[in-house]
Amino acid sequence: MAVITVNQFSGVSPMTPPRYLENNTAQVAQNCPVWLGSLSSIRGISAITPSPLTKTGDLTSIYRFDQAETDEKKNWFHWTTDVDVVQGFIAGDVTERTYYTGDGNPKVTNNALALTGAGTDYPIASYDIGVPKPTVAPTTAKTGTASPNTTAETRVYTFTYVNSWDEESTPYAATDMAPSTEDVYPGESVVVTMPTSSLSNVNVTKKRIYRSATGTTNTSYFFVAEVPLATATYTDSLDGDELNEVLPSLTWVQPPTTLKGLVGMANGVMVGFSGNDVYFSEPFRPFAWPVQYMQTVGWPVVGLGIIDTTVVVLTKGRPYFIQGSHPDSMVMIEADVNQACLSKRSIVSMGNYVFYASPDGLVGLAPGGSAVVTQSMFDKYTWQSLSPEDMLGCMFENKYVGFFDATTGNGGFVYDMVAKTWNFHNIYVTGAFNDLKNDALYVIKESDTELWKWDTGTALSYTWKSKKFTFPEPKSFSCYRVQAEAYPVTMKIYRDATSIVSLSVTDDALRRLPPGLGTDWEFQLEGNTEVYNVQIAQSPAELNAG
């Protein structure tokens, strides 16, 4: 005697032959949150109306700005390119200074720039990140009367640019600093002449003048004065003992214009990449990107992830970990898996892992141990049929939610990293943003200017097909029961791959099966109501016995 019972509904394992699946594992699991145990439906997406997205073209990236705003319909940044956004860690900032790459030069905006102006094509305005180094030399001339019988002090003058946020550039420097060098005697002052022309898209408002001071092992530059950008000259009459503030910005250069893949670390460091090079900002100074912090990996970089104070570098070859509390002491090591990253947009930092799409499956990287987490579910060829090179991933409710556009049709999946279950869904989107404040996942679709909200629409119709229950000898099952919280539920039963039942079940009553022997038995459920138990038995007594 035999009874087929399924009262826990799990996900799929496409690489496993149907007859070798676990009893609760499916051949097909679509639109059902299998991590719940019972069989139920995920909800579809619902439109946010009126849509706050107003740019034309195929939208690719979205970001909800203004974390003080509670209305989910307001203040959405949106782009037609792949853009990475990080809110700055800046002491005392009340303007929500926000940095992003992927839209031309690396940029920064805040609530005044982003939201002020005509229309709602946010962000409306921005500046390039950082402050450019002066390229025109200062010149100097002495004035006053030198005291007799004294010794001259050799001074070298330089200056920096400063923007309205008090961010400072690296100083002017050249191989030959003779135009700004003077031998100054007591009683003499020095007139410093500097350029006054405005700079494009960096909001420079001031200049700071520095001069060298000798007498120690290394020559240092000390602060002399701050003047408005439009001021052409400044007369320095300070004595040496009046200098005390050392030039802080000697290495504070702008990031390369080709920087992309911006991510932020908990220690206030921002990280991006260009080619094979990984760049780091000064901690809590996202405008300053010292060249000496740069590290080069062995393969072209595809994208970055973050685990605490570890940068995970995903490349076209093997991945790397760059670890450390400060960029000047970061250590790079190779990861413990040889898996290239096929899609930058598949990279998701979640918990103590960074997930991404590789040629062999979904990889979970961690300093304590990495693996292809789908290796027991997908072989290489089944996985690649999902077009992982174009895969989009995001985090929602501690799960990896993925989307793909495959030749066999588009849609997506949910991977539960705790239960290690996988199920598919039939919703395809081209961009997503996980809003932690609203605890909501917002998405956008191809050729569509609507903003949608995940898992808030009507319940989708699920399909869950059981494993192939195979017996050594043909068996005749005579009855079945479907127990659900609500009805109807469509039940389909197959005997040796032939459909013998296709019925809308309206209650939990025992139902008869057509007579016949079969070696292979399968069933499929379709609907949008919760099912918690399915039984197929050889006799009513077995069914009633549970």
Side-chain angles (χ1 to χ4, degrees):
M1 308 299 285
V3 177
I4 295 173
T5 300
V6 176
N7 52 26
Q8 290 281 326
F9 296 84
S10 189
V12 295
S13 179
M15 69 176 286
T16 306
R19 70 181 74 249
Y20 295 126
L21 292 169
E22 299 291 332
N23 282 1
N24 64 342
T25 304
Q27 296 183 62
V28 177
Q30 178 152 302
N31 294 339
C32 42
V34 294
W35 55 88
L36 298 177
S38 62
L39 179 62
S40 60
S41 226
I42 67 170
R43 298 166 67 88
I45 56 177
S46 60
I48 304 297
T49 55
S51 176
L53 310 181
T54 53
K55 289 180 181 176
T56 58
D58 289 338
L59 297 179
T60 302
S61 305
I62 53 175
Y63 174 84
R64 196 174 81 84
F65 182 75
D66 191 358
Q67 296 304 305
E69 177 58 63
T70 58
D71 187 344
E72 66 180 355
K73 295 187 288 293
K74 291 185 176 180
N75 304 339
W76 280 92
F77 291 1
H78 50 296
W79 298 270
T80 57
T81 55
D82 178 22
V83 174
D84 297 286
V85 188
V86 180
Q87 184 175 335
F89 291 4
I90 302 168
D93 175 44
V94 296
T95 67
E96 200 170 323
R97 211 173 302 168
T98 299
Y99 298 75
Y100 57 98
T101 57
D103 183 29
N105 290 350
K107 291 181 172 63
V108 56
T109 190
N110 65 3
N111 53 20
L113 292 168
L115 306 179
T116 303
T120 55
D121 286 354
Y122 301 138
I124 291 174
S126 62
Y127 296 131
D128 290 346
I129 292 178
V131 185
K133 171 184 175 179
T135 58
V136 178
T139 58
T140 54
K142 294 192 293 185
T143 184
T145 303
S147 299
N149 303 319
T150 57
T151 302
E153 174 192 17
T154 300
R155 300 179 187 172
V156 181
Y157 283 84
T158 189
F159 75 102
T160 63
Y161 285 129
V162 182
N163 66 15
S164 61
W165 296 330
D166 213 38
E167 297 174 344
E168 189 169 8
S169 75
T170 190
Y172 174 85
T175 303
D176 181 9
M177 294 291 286
S180 61
T181 301
E182 298 288 347
D183 291 329
V184 183
Y185 291 87
E188 292 182 321
S189 298
V190 177
V191 179
V192 184
T193 301
M194 298 158 291
T196 58
S197 56
S198 60
L199 285 79
S200 175
N201 207 44
V202 287
N203 197 32
V204 168
T205 58
K206 297 174 288 189
K207 296 172 289 196
R208 287 180 184 157
I209 303 165
Y210 295 86
R211 82 184 199 206
S212 64
T214 58
T216 59
T217 302
N218 297 312
T219 299
S220 299
Y221 285 93
F222 289 85
F223 175 73
V224 174
E226 181 178 277
V227 298
L229 178 62
T231 299
T233 62
Y234 178 81
T235 301
D236 174 22
S237 303
L238 296 176
D239 293 331
D241 57 6
E242 296 180 84
L243 304 175
N244 52 37
E245 184 180 339
V246 178
L247 169 71
S249 62
L250 193 61
T251 61
W252 291 358
V253 298
Q254 289 180 284
T257 58
T258 53
L259 190 80
K260 57 184 177 179
L262 193 69
V263 293
M265 301 174 68
N267 57 2
V269 176
M270 288 194 185
V271 192
F273 71 92
S274 178
N276 290 44
D277 302 325
V278 182
Y279 292 83
F280 298 83
S281 77
E282 284 282 356
F284 304 101
R285 290 187 172 94
F287 63 91
W289 296 73
V291 175
Q292 65 267 31
Y293 293 166
M294 181 192 74
Q295 299 215 28
T296 301
V297 298
W299 299 83
V301 180
V302 176
L304 306 174
I306 295 294
I307 303 172
D308 194 21
T309 56
T310 296
V311 181
V312 181
V313 184
L314 292 316
T315 76
K316 293 183 178 181
R318 72 176 303 151
Y320 299 83
F321 297 120
I322 302 180
Q323 303 167 322
S325 59
H326 194 282
D328 65 3
S329 58
M330 289 283 195
V331 176
M332 181 168 61
I333 60 174
E334 293 181 334
D336 51 346
V337 293
N338 284 317
Q339 292 288 331
C341 180
L342 295 184
S343 169
K344 172 182 173 293
R345 304 185 79 213
S346 72
I347 301 169
V348 176
S349 300
M350 186 164 60
N352 293 321
Y353 286 87
V354 171
F355 293 93
Y356 68 97
S358 81
D360 292 328
L362 189 68
V363 176
L365 278 181
S370 308
V372 180
V373 297
T374 55
Q375 62 184 349
S376 64
M377 305 175 187
F378 290 87
D379 59 34
K380 177 178 180 178
Y381 305 103
T382 307
W383 170 255
Q384 290 185 356
S385 70
L386 301 180
S387 299
E389 65 276 5
D390 296 319
M391 196 168 284
L392 167 67
C394 52
M395 178 182 69
F396 185 61
E397 302 293 4
N398 205 35
K399 296 173 181 62
Y400 186 107
V401 182
F403 305 90
F404 56 80
D405 187 9
T407 55
T408 55
N410 56 31
F413 60 88
V414 179
Y415 172 68
D416 185 339
M417 60 181 292
V418 177
K420 294 181 170 42
T421 58
W422 184 286
N423 68 287
F424 289 98
H425 59 76
N426 60 5
I427 301 171
Y428 176 63
V429 305
T430 57
F433 175 70
N434 184 10
D435 187 345
L436 297 180
K437 181 178 180 180
N438 282 343
D439 192 25
L441 178 63
Y442 297 91
V443 296
I444 49 177
K445 298 194 293 185
E446 190 174 25
S447 303
D448 185 2
T449 58
E450 295 291 330
L451 179 67
W452 304 82
K453 194 172 183 179
W454 176 264
D455 197 30
T456 57
T458 57
L460 300 178
S461 179
Y462 58 69
T463 300
W464 194 94
K465 187 174 184 179
S466 74
K467 68 166 288 182
K468 184 179 289 186
F469 293 90
T470 301
F471 300 92
E473 297 178 352
K475 291 190 180 294
S476 176
F477 287 92
S478 67
C479 54
Y480 69 95
R481 175 183 286 132
V482 178
Q483 293 179 297
E485 291 293 340
Y487 297 90
V489 177
T490 296
M491 178 65 158
K492 297 179 180 180
I493 299 177
Y494 303 86
R495 181 176 60 216
D496 291 340
T498 299
S499 175
I500 60 171
V501 168
S502 182
L503 179 69
S504 178
V505 176
T506 57
D507 56 41
D508 65 352
L510 179 150
R511 283 175 168 78
R512 293 287 182 176
L513 287 170
L517 292 169
T519 301
D520 298 326
W521 292 80
E522 307 158 88
F523 69 86
Q524 180 169 300
L525 296 165
E526 299 171 4
N528 57 19
T529 61
E530 183 182 359
V531 176
Y532 58 88
N533 191 32
V534 171
Q535 293 173 294
I536 304 175
Q538 291 184 280
S539 69
E542 287 180 317
L543 198 67
N544 291 328

